[in-house]
Amino acid sequence: MDANGQRFWLLGEASHFPSHAHTAWDTDCRRLRLASERTLTPALAPAAAFTAAQEALERIPRAVDTLECVARWDADSGAILVRSVLPDEAVLIALDATPTDLCNGADGVLYILLPGAVLLHDLRGRWADVRVALPGFAPWRAAPAADGGVWFMERGTGRLARLTGRPRRTETPQPDDYDPRVFRPSPENACAPQIRLLAGPPGDGSENAVALASGPDGALALLSWATDGAPRLRRWRADAQHWDLPDAPQGAAYAHALAWLAPDRVALRVPGRRDAPAWQLGATPGPLAPLGEVYPLAPDALEAPFCNGPVQPPCYPVGTAGAEPLHALSLHRFAAQGEARNYVDSATGLVARLIDSGDTTTVWHRLFAEAQLPPHTGFVAWLASTNEPAPPADDDRLAWHAHLFGSTALAEPQLPQAVWEPVPSELPHHPGLLGGAKEPGRAGLFSVLVQNSRQRVRHLAGRYLWLRLALQGDGHATPEIAALRVWGNRFSYVDHYLPRLYRESQFGSAASAPGERLATIDPAFGGALDAADAGDVALRARLLLEQVTLGAAASIAVERAGQAWLLQDGASAWRLRREDGFIAIYRPRATPADFNARLLANFEGVLTRLEDRVAHAHLLSDPALADDGRLDWLAGWIGVAFDPALPAARRREWLRGAPDLARWHGTRRGLQLALDIATGGAVRGGEVLVVEDFRLRRILATLLGVDLADERDPLLPGLQVSGNSVVGDTLFVGEQARAELAALFNAGQLGAAGEQAALAFDAELAHRATVLVHQAVEPQDLGLIRRIAQREAPAHVELRVAQASWPLLVGIASLVGVDTYLGPPRLPRPVQVQASGLGLGDFLISAAVLDPRLPARRPRWRRRPMPAPTSACCPAPASCWTPAARAPRRAARSPRTAGAGCQPPIPEADSRTRNPKEITMAEFTPGVEIATETPTIEVTVGPNNPMPIGRQTFRLVVVDDAGNASQADQVVIIIADQDAPTAVIRGPRLAPFGRSFELDGSASFDAGGGRIVRYVWTYMGPVT
C-alpha cells in the first residue's frame, strides 16, 4: 500500500497467465515472451518424401559414446567398426547376422538388435557376450534407458518392450566353485537380463511406428505416421504404463527420426530438409507449431536415424563413419503476434488469476510493467472491468480498452501510451523484478494511467479487472515482460485538494458518451457501416452534409455490429453510435474536468513515489533489503567489521543477529551463533560443532578391527590415550567437582601426590575447546571458520579447528552429534586428485568407450582353483580370481591375534581391489621369501608345524609389472597360548618429554577361560 492508501495486484509468475496463444513463459528468465516458432514448407513432394523416408528407415542407426566414438555396421566385413580419435577404424565385434539397430546404453553396454534376439556386449569387459530374446517379439529400434537397460520398439506395430538386468560378472565364481557346505542363492543371478512387453500398438493400431527416442531424464517418445504420412508424437507415461494422446507436429510429413533436445523439446528429421526442426511439447496434446530455433545439418549429413547413445546434444550420422552433434543457430525466429491472459475457460470452469478489489466502485488507477522492448516490438494491454467474476466476450470491443507499450500496430484515437520511468520499480527502494541494465524507452519500468478512451469521463471502474496481453514483434525479436502491477482505487488530487468547482460534473449516460456529439444520420446507413465500406457513395455524401469530409484512405472499424463504429481518416476520427432510432456522430473528446484530473495524475505519480520513499526510509537500514554496497556502511554503525570472505547473504544474517552476537560474545553460545551465521547454518545442521575438549573422551567398547593409529585425526587420539574415559559431560565442572575428582583420584592411597596429579589432569582439560568441521562443509569455508572462531572465542580459551573425517564408528561409544555424525549414504563418484581418500567412497570409474583400443576397458580376469579349507576356524573359499596385471602398492594388514593351531591369513588389502576368493596357502620358514600372484596368503600351520607362541613378525614387499620393488612393510601377529594367558600391551606411539603417559593391558586374555588377576610391568630400556 502506498502513501495514498492504494494497493496493487501483481502478475509475475507462469501460473498468473493460464492462457497462451503464440506466447510462452520463460522459466529461466522468468519472463513472458512471444513463442519461438516458424512455418515449415515441404522440401519434397509427398511421393518423393515417402520414398526418401523409407530409404532412411532401412539404414542401420549408428551408436555413439561420451568420447565421440562412433560405431557402425559394415556389411562388407560382417562386423561392427568403431571410429575414434585414433587413426583408422577398429573392429569391435563380428556378427553372424545383419543387425537392425546399434544402441549404446547408459550402463556401458552395447545393445545389438539381431533377428530374433538382442546381443549384449559389455564395453568394460565385465562379462561375455549374451543373447536375450522374447518369443513373439521382434525388436527393431532401441533407445537407451537413463537408469540402465534399453527400450525396444517393434517395426510397424509400435509394440514397446524393456530390457532390464545384466549378466553375472565373468570373475564371479560358479556354483561348483564353492564348498558344498556353503549356502548359495537360487537362482544365482536374481537380476538376469530379460525382455518384458509393456504396451501394444499405439492408438487404434492404424499408425505406422517409425522411431523411438529416450531423454536423459528418463522421458520416452514414439514417432509414428498416420495413413497420410502426418506425424504423431506420443510420450510414455511410466506411472500409468501407457502411451499418452498424440501431439501433431505441423509441417513434418513423413518425419523418420526422433531425438530429445531437452525435457520438453524434441527434434525430427524431415525428408529433404537440411536442418532438424524442433518442437516444444505442450501440457495438452494437439497440433504443435515448429519452434523458431534452427538446427542446421552438415553438408554430408545422411538421410538416416539419429545416432544412439547417452549423449547430449543428440548426434546425427555424417559421411561413411562419422557423427556430428546437433547445435542450434544463435538467430531464432519468433511469432509475429501472440496473446496471453490472466484467465482461461476450461472444462471445469473459469481458471483465472483474479484481480478483485472487493468493491464495485473501484476506479482502477495505473498499470506498471517491468519489461524489455527491443526496437519494432511492443504489446497492448487490453483491460476490462466487471462487477461479476466473469470476463467480457473477446469480440466485445466496447468492453476492452487498449493501453499501448512500445511499438504497436494499433491505431485508434487518443489511446493511452505508456512511458518509461527512470526508476527500477515504483515500489519504494525495490530493485525490481526485471534485472539487467535499464535503457530509456527500451528496458525498465513503464507506466500508463488506466483509462477508457471511448467515453468522455475516462475512468475505468468495477470490482474485477481482466487482462489480455497482445504481444507484437518483427519475427526476430520479442517483447519480454517480467511483471505487471495494477493499482487501485484511484487517488485523485482534484477530489482531495481542489475546490468543488474543478470536480467532474458529467455523470450517467452523459459521462459514458463517446465524445462531443456533432450530428445524426439515418439508420439505413447501418448496413454500409457494418460492411466497413468506407467508399459507399451515399454514406460519404451524407457525412459531407454534416461537415465530415473523408479522404481516399478513410476506413471503418466495426466495434459492435449494428451498434458502434469507428470512422478514421488519417489523424481525424469519429465514433458513431446507434441511439434512439438514429446514428449519432461523435468527435472523441473528454470533459474538461476529466482532462484536468488526468493532467494532475502526472504530478501525483511523481509525488506519491517521493512520499513512499520518505515513508519507507527505514528499509534502507534493514539488512534484509539494503543493497549489497550498503552492508559495510550499516555494519559501521554498530562497530562490526566483516570478514572479506563472508558472502553478502551471510553478512545480512550477521547484521540481523548482531544483538545476540553482542550479548553472548565470549561464550560458547556466542561462538556457536557466529559460526552458524558464517557457515550458513552448518552449526544447526550438525556439520560444525563446538565441543569442550573433555567431552571428546569416551569408553572404548570393542575394536572390531578398527585401526586407531591415525594420530592426525582429531577424534582418534582420545581412543588411544585412554580406554577408561568418562563419557561426555559427566566429567567435572566447578570447584566442588574438582575436589570430588581429587578425592576419587586419591582413593586413600596416593596422598598429596595423587591429589596434585588429579588437579594437573583437570588443568590440562580446562579452558580448551575444539571446533569440529565435518566433511559436509565446503573446503573454501574452512579458512573462514578458523578466522571467525579465533575472533569470537573467549580470550582465556585455547581453541583449535579440526576436521572430523570419520562418520560414526561402529563398535566405539562415540558421541553421536558431537565427535561423529550420521549422514546419508554417499553415492559413488569419480576420484578427485588431492581430494579423495582411498576406500572412503570415491571410485576409479572408467568410461565405457566403443573403441577397444582406448585404455578405458577393464582387464580380463582368469580363474585359479584352490582346494577346500582344512580348518574350520579360518574357512577359505574354493577358488581365487586374479587380474592379468595390476600396479602394486604395499599395504599389509592382519588380525592382531591368532590361535596357535589356526592359519592367520595376511591380506594385502590395498594393493588392489579386495576379493575374498584370492587366497594362496603356504608354510612359512623364518627368513625365507615366498612369492605369490595373489594379494592374500594363508599362513598354513598345524599340530606338526605350529607357529611359536608370542609375537611373530611378517614382512611384505610388492613388485610391479616393470620389476620395481616397494619398500618393506611389517606386521606383528600375537600367537595366543591355548593354556597360559596372553599379554597384550597398548600405549601411545608418542609421549611428550617430561610428561607421564599410560600403558594399558586390559586387552590381555586367557584363551583357556581363566581370569587375569595380576599384571607385572617391566621397563626394558631403550630400543636398540
Side-chain angles (χ1 to χ4, degrees):
M1 188 172 291
D2 65 6
N4 296 325
Q6 299 181 109
R7 55 176 297 201
F8 70 88
W9 289 259
L10 173 68
L11 299 177
E13 300 286 347
S15 60
H16 297 170
F17 300 96
S19 174
H20 290 275
H22 304 287
T23 59
W25 178 266
D26 190 331
T27 55
D28 296 331
C29 300
R30 299 179 61 85
R31 297 179 183 179
L32 179 69
R33 58 174 60 178
L34 286 169
S36 172
E37 61 184 37
R38 57 178 173 150
T39 301
L40 297 181
T41 57
L44 298 175
F50 175 75
T51 301
Q54 289 292 350
E55 293 177 355
L57 292 177
E58 296 303 322
R59 293 181 179 269
I60 300 172
R62 297 174 183 177
V64 295
D65 61 22
T66 55
L67 297 185
E68 300 181 358
C69 301
V70 183
R72 68 179 181 90
W73 166 251
D74 183 61
D76 296 334
S77 61
I80 296 177
L81 305 182
V82 179
R83 177 181 177 182
S84 67
V85 294
L86 301 179
D88 302 326
E89 290 184 288
V91 176
L92 177 61
I93 183 175
L95 302 176
D96 55 4
T98 300
T100 62
D101 199 354
L102 307 178
C103 180
N104 182 22
D107 49 4
V109 179
L110 178 64
Y111 297 90
I112 305 171
L113 276 62
L114 298 173
V118 178
L119 178 65
L120 279 64
H121 177 77
D122 185 43
L123 298 178
R124 293 191 177 100
R126 294 167 292 183
W127 58 74
D129 295 344
V130 175
R131 296 191 181 218
V132 183
L134 177 64
F137 180 80
W140 175 63
R141 287 289 187 258
D147 55 351
V150 69
W151 302 93
F152 295 128
M153 182 191 72
E154 194 173 45
R155 185 169 191 174
T157 65
R159 290 196 299 168
L160 181 70
R162 173 77 185 271
L163 187 149
T164 56
R166 62 178 58 181
R168 296 170 58 196
R169 294 174 179 262
T170 304
E171 64 268 23
T172 303
Q174 300 301 314
D176 57 358
D177 293 328
Y178 291 91
D179 187 88
R181 295 168 292 178
V182 177
F183 172 79
R184 298 301 303 156
S186 179
E188 288 284 335
N189 186 3
C191 299
Q194 62 174 339
I195 301 176
R196 294 181 297 112
L197 188 63
L198 299 181
D204 57 3
S206 62
E207 299 177 12
N208 181 19
V210 296
L212 185 71
S214 60
D217 60 343
L220 185 69
L222 173 73
L223 177 65
S224 60
W225 295 344
T227 54
D228 58 351
R232 296 292 182 264
L233 193 60
R234 285 179 168 85
R235 283 173 284 182
W236 177 253
R237 297 297 179 185
D239 53 349
Q241 292 291 293
H242 67 77
W243 291 109
D244 205 348
L245 294 177
D247 290 305
Q250 303 298 299
Y254 295 109
H256 57 81
L258 168 68
W260 286 89
L261 300 171
D264 57 350
R265 186 171 299 185
V266 297
L268 301 180
R269 290 293 306 273
V270 181
R273 295 197 63 88
R274 304 310 303 167
D275 68 327
W279 281 264
Q280 184 89 18
L281 302 180
T284 58
L288 296 178
L291 296 176
E293 287 88 345
V294 178
Y295 293 85
L297 302 176
D300 56 344
L302 301 180
E303 194 78 69
F306 287 101
C307 300
N308 267 330
V311 296
Q312 282 291 324
C315 297
Y316 58 93
V318 296
T320 58
E324 290 292 338
L326 196 62
H327 292 292
L329 296 178
S330 58
L331 180 63
H332 291 180
R333 293 286 301 178
F334 296 96
Q337 296 180 349
E339 186 177 88
R341 308 180 184 186
N342 72 325
Y343 67 93
V344 64
D345 289 322
S346 66
T348 59
L350 182 69
V351 177
R353 167 74 172 179
L354 281 180
I355 302 177
D356 180 11
S357 68
D359 186 359
T360 58
T361 63
T362 298
V363 176
W364 299 99
H365 178 47
R366 201 180 297 271
L367 177 65
F368 289 91
E370 293 187 45
Q372 186 171 355
L373 306 177
H376 312 296
T377 67
F379 65 94
V380 180
W382 292 92
L383 302 179
S385 181
T386 65
N387 290 327
E388 300 295 331
D394 295 345
D395 57 355
D396 189 355
R397 296 189 60 180
L398 295 182
W400 293 97
H401 310 287
H403 298 73
L404 310 183
F405 291 78
S407 301
T408 62
L410 188 62
E412 292 189 10
Q414 301 181 8
L415 291 179
Q417 177 75 46
V419 297
W420 182 81
E421 302 280 358
V423 292
S425 174
E426 80 280 11
L427 303 177
H429 313 295
H430 193 279
L433 300 177
L434 180 65
K438 307 300 184 288
E439 182 182 355
R442 296 300 178 197
L445 181 69
F446 297 84
S447 69
V448 63
L449 194 69
V450 177
Q451 303 176 44
N452 179 354
S453 60
R454 293 191 179 92
Q455 59 186 29
R456 299 202 71 188
V457 179
R458 298 188 173 178
H459 64 256
L460 184 63
R463 174 176 174 175
Y464 298 96
L465 189 69
W466 308 94
L467 175 68
R468 290 164 45 200
L469 294 177
L471 282 67
Q472 301 176 15
D474 60 357
H476 300 288
T478 173
E480 298 182 354
I481 305 171
L484 293 169
R485 287 182 293 271
V486 60
W487 291 76
N489 186 11
R490 176 170 295 175
F491 184 87
S492 173
Y493 274 15
V494 172
D495 294 341
H496 285 81
Y497 302 131
L498 296 184
R500 187 179 299 273
L501 173 66
Y502 295 94
R503 299 181 185 177
E504 184 58 63
S505 59
Q506 299 290 332
F507 304 97
S509 59
S512 60
E516 181 182 5
R517 186 167 178 172
L518 300 179
T520 59
I521 60 176
D522 192 272
F525 293 103
L529 294 173
D530 284 339
D533 185 6
D536 186 272
V537 177
L539 176 62
R540 281 176 170 265
R542 183 66 182 88
L543 293 175
L544 183 61
L545 295 176
E546 303 297 339
Q547 307 299 317
V548 177
T549 304
L550 299 180
S555 62
I556 299 176
V558 181
E559 294 182 326
R560 182 177 293 173
Q563 298 292 327
W565 305 268
L566 174 63
L567 179 62
Q568 288 183 285
D569 185 11
S572 302
W574 300 266
R575 295 190 183 276
L576 288 75
R577 296 287 189 273
R578 182 182 294 272
E579 298 174 355
D580 301 328
F582 294 93
I583 296 178
I585 304 174
Y586 291 90
R587 177 184 291 114
R589 180 174 297 178
T591 63
D594 180 82
F595 175 82
N596 188 40
R598 288 184 286 117
L599 176 65
L600 293 179
N602 294 327
F603 299 96
E604 178 270 335
V606 176
L607 296 177
T608 299
R609 188 183 308 142
L610 296 176
E611 294 174 7
D612 287 343
R613 292 178 63 86
V614 173
H616 295 83
H618 63 279
L619 298 178
L620 297 175
S621 59
D622 188 337
L625 303 175
D627 295 338
D628 291 348
R630 294 197 183 103
L631 296 179
D632 290 313
W633 172 65
L634 290 177
W637 290 11
I638 54 178
V640 172
F642 292 123
D643 188 281
L646 202 64
R650 299 178 189 177
R651 296 188 180 197
R652 299 179 190 275
E653 291 293 333
W654 195 286
L655 290 174
R656 277 196 289 265
D660 290 333
L661 287 170
R663 183 182 303 117
W664 298 104
H665 182 72
T667 65
R668 177 185 175 187
R669 179 174 176 178
L671 177 60
Q672 288 177 320
L673 179 59
L675 291 175
D676 188 67
I677 294 175
T679 58
V683 175
R684 286 170 292 168
E687 295 88 1
V688 176
L689 298 150
V690 179
V691 186
E692 293 151 302
D693 279 1
F694 71 84
R695 298 174 184 264
L696 291 178
R697 309 182 66 82
R698 61 280 187 63
I699 296 175
L700 180 62
T702 176
L703 293 180
L704 292 182
V706 177
D707 183 8
L708 305 180
D710 187 0
E711 298 177 357
R712 293 173 297 177
D713 194 297
L715 303 183
L716 297 182
L719 298 176
Q720 264 191 293
V721 173
S722 173
N724 298 310
S725 305
V726 179
V727 179
D729 48 7
T730 58
L731 217 52
F732 45 89
V733 178
E735 294 298 327
Q736 179 63 29
R738 288 166 60 91
E740 294 176 1
L741 174 69
L744 292 173
F745 202 96
N746 183 12
Q749 302 181 36
L750 303 180
E755 182 176 351
Q756 291 299 323
L759 296 179
F761 174 71
D762 172 74
E764 291 178 3
L765 295 177
H767 311 308
R768 286 173 171 81
T770 299
V771 177
L772 292 175
V773 182
H774 294 164
Q775 284 184 331
V777 175
E778 296 294 334
Q780 58 267 24
D781 288 341
L782 187 58
L784 175 63
I785 292 174
R786 295 184 188 276
R787 294 190 296 272
I788 296 295
Q790 293 297 332
R791 190 177 70 180
E792 298 295 326
H796 66 284
V797 173
E798 181 179 343
L799 188 72
R800 65 169 180 161
V801 177
Q803 286 185 285
S805 58
W806 293 97
L808 179 65
L809 299 179
V810 178
I812 298 177
S814 305
L815 300 181
V816 179
V818 177
D819 57 358
T820 59
Y821 58 97
L822 291 172
R826 292 182 60 181
L827 298 176
R829 62 183 184 183
V831 166
Q832 300 180 18
V833 178
Q834 296 183 349
S836 299
L838 186 62
L840 298 182
D842 296 343
F843 297 86
L844 285 170
I845 305 175
S846 60
V849 294
L850 292 167
D851 194 336
R853 300 169 295 177
L854 293 177
R857 288 174 166 265
R858 183 185 180 94
R860 293 294 181 180
W861 296 72
R862 62 177 182 268
R863 185 165 67 92
R864 298 183 56 202
M866 64 173 294
T870 58
S871 173
C873 62
C874 294
S879 63
C880 73
W881 297 79
T882 307
R886 288 287 179 178
R889 186 179 64 84
R890 62 168 180 81
R893 293 183 181 176
S894 69
R896 294 295 301 272
T897 60
C902 259
Q903 299 91 332
I906 303 177
E908 183 211 350
D910 292 337
S911 296
R912 54 169 300 277
T913 304
R914 183 185 298 187
N915 191 314
K917 305 297 181 188
E918 301 173 8
I919 299 177
T920 300
M921 297 186 296
E923 295 184 4
F924 279 81
T925 302
V928 179
E929 295 182 348
I930 297 177
T932 69
E933 295 182 359
T934 60
T936 305
I937 189 169
E938 179 187 273
V939 181
T940 304
V941 297
N944 298 327
N945 58 339
M947 187 72 65
I949 295 173
R951 296 177 179 268
Q952 307 297 329
T953 303
F954 292 85
R955 186 180 69 171
L956 172 66
V957 175
V958 294
V959 183
D960 64 13
D961 53 3
N964 301 315
S966 68
Q967 296 294 323
D969 193 14
Q970 295 188 154
V971 65
V972 176
I973 306 296
I974 301 175
I975 304 300
D977 196 329
Q978 301 299 308
D979 299 321
T982 300
V984 179
I985 184 173
R986 293 193 179 97
R989 288 193 174 186
L990 296 175
F993 178 77
R995 299 284 293 275
S996 302
F997 56 89
E998 184 181 271
L999 300 178
D1000 182 12
S1002 61
S1004 303
F1005 62 93
D1006 189 345
R1011 184 172 63 90
I1012 299 176
V1013 297
R1014 189 159 56 97
Y1015 300 85
V1016 180
W1017 309 86
T1018 303
Y1019 172 52
M1020 304 303 293
V1023 177
T1024 58

